[in-house]
Amino acid sequence: MSESGANNTARSKAAVVTGASSGIGEATVRALRADGWRVFAVARRADRLEKLAADTGAVACPADISDDGDIAALLEGVTEAGGIDTLVNIAGGARGSDRVADAVTEDWDWMYQVNVLGTMKITRAFLPMLRDCGEGTVLNLTSTAGLAAYEGGAGYNAAKFAQHAMTGALRLEEAENNIRVIEVAPGLVRTPEFALNRLGDQEAADKVYAGVEKPLTSEDVADVVKYAVSLPHHVNLDHITIRPVAQASNYKLIRKA
């Protein structure tokens, strides 16, 4: 086997997954590992990653994707471990639900740094590796908030619209390098932290899901992510929107008493 062939074999079904310390990111690590993938689990909270690694056999890679030094160290470590053929960008989040007139600059800045610049930085770092492997994949988890604006969502809308646009541009730019670019845009997903981190209060977070029969779970989304990246490489699910049946659109959500 040639050196290039050996490298491709080592990278086959090998992924970096960001946002891996909780929610959809953690569920994606578990789903891929259960399917035989080698997974580098990336997040800031090292203690959670170590537990995830112990549970699943994933490689814990504590890093802040908005920090250039952390990304450089991550790239070096993954390269030394044999490389990857798939990058799964799950890290992101929302802060606040203020209208534009009451916007908190720090919240907007955080959302842009994590959802947009963080995704850009880690993707930029790993693109040469993904090009070199011959059949690379980038999957970006965006949101239905990046498809339709809503009152009180402007900051998150802006960040996710930008991430959605960046994903589309990346697909156009990297097609000639045989890189598959997938976007998964979930609607209402009940996770332990998303609404709590956004609203800062457990009671307010619980109201987001009140009366909604069967909102999506982290595992639901992780199953779709696993399916999308596991298809034969020539099959590209460009854009996947996932909502619970109770959420017919961003504007229609069925709540039962």
Side-chain angles (χ1 to χ4, degrees), residues 128-190:
M129 180 182 293
L130 297 176
R131 291 169 180 164
D132 181 59
C133 81
E135 291 189 342
T137 296
V138 177
L139 186 147
N140 288 343
L141 189 85
T142 60
S143 170
T144 56
L147 307 177
Y150 56 89
E151 293 169 284
Y156 190 52
N157 290 144
K160 287 300 185 181
F161 265 86
Q163 190 184 28
H164 166 68
M166 175 173 57
T167 304
L170 181 68
R171 184 179 300 114
L172 295 171
E173 293 167 356
E174 294 300 326
E176 62 188 355
N177 295 315
N178 203 33
I179 291 181
R180 174 172 61 177
V181 178
I182 302 165
E183 178 177 0
V184 175
L188 186 70
V189 184
R190 183 161 200 163

Side-chain angles (χ1 to χ4, degrees), residues 16-241:
V16 162
V17 178
T18 70
S21 61
S22 67
I24 297 169
E26 178 185 348
T28 298
V29 171
R30 293 183 182 278
L32 292 177
R33 284 293 301 144
D35 200 37
W37 286 66
R38 177 168 172 78
V39 180
F40 300 89
V42 178
R44 290 174 297 171
R45 292 178 288 187
D47 57 335
R48 294 199 176 198
L49 290 183
E50 291 298 339
K51 182 179 184 306
L52 181 62
D55 288 347
T56 66
V59 181
C61 301
D64 181 345
I65 64 166
S66 65
D67 183 275
D68 293 336
D70 280 7
I71 290 178
L74 173 65
L75 177 61
E76 181 179 1
V78 171
T79 300
E80 291 176 353
I84 59 167
D85 63 350
T86 301
L87 173 62
V88 182
N89 290 313
I90 305 290
R95 281 191 181 174
S97 58
D98 301 323
R99 293 173 177 244
V100 175
D102 304 310
V104 177
T105 301
E106 292 78 11
D107 289 346
W108 282 56
D109 182 70
W110 182 87
M111 287 186 280
Y112 198 81
Q113 289 289 335
V114 173
N115 294 284
V116 184
L117 294 183
T119 299
M120 177 276 289
K121 287 181 177 182
I122 194 165
T123 303
R124 180 178 63 188
F126 279 92
L127 274 176
M129 180 182 293
L130 297 176
R131 291 169 180 164
D132 181 59
C133 81
E135 291 189 342
T137 296
V138 177
L139 186 147
N140 288 343
L141 189 85
T142 60
S143 170
T144 56
L147 307 177
Y150 56 89
E151 293 169 284
Y156 190 52
N157 290 144
K160 287 300 185 181
F161 265 86
Q163 190 184 28
H164 166 68
M166 175 173 57
T167 304
L170 181 68
R171 184 179 300 114
L172 295 171
E173 293 167 356
E174 294 300 326
E176 62 188 355
N177 295 315
N178 203 33
I179 291 181
R180 174 172 61 177
V181 178
I182 302 165
E183 178 177 0
V184 175
L188 186 70
V189 184
R190 183 161 200 163
T191 67
E193 296 187 345
F194 179 84
L196 180 60
N197 289 341
R198 182 175 196 175
L199 302 174
D201 175 79
Q202 188 63 60
E203 183 177 357
D206 290 342
K207 288 180 180 178
V208 172
Y209 311 102
V212 179
E213 189 173 47
K214 295 184 179 179
L216 296 178
T217 66
S218 297
E219 289 74 20
D220 293 331
V221 180
D223 282 345
V224 173
V225 170
K226 180 186 72 172
Y227 177 77
V229 300
S230 299
L231 287 169
H233 187 267
H234 70 283
V235 180
N236 190 10
L237 300 181
D238 284 16
H239 179 97
I240 309 166
T241 300

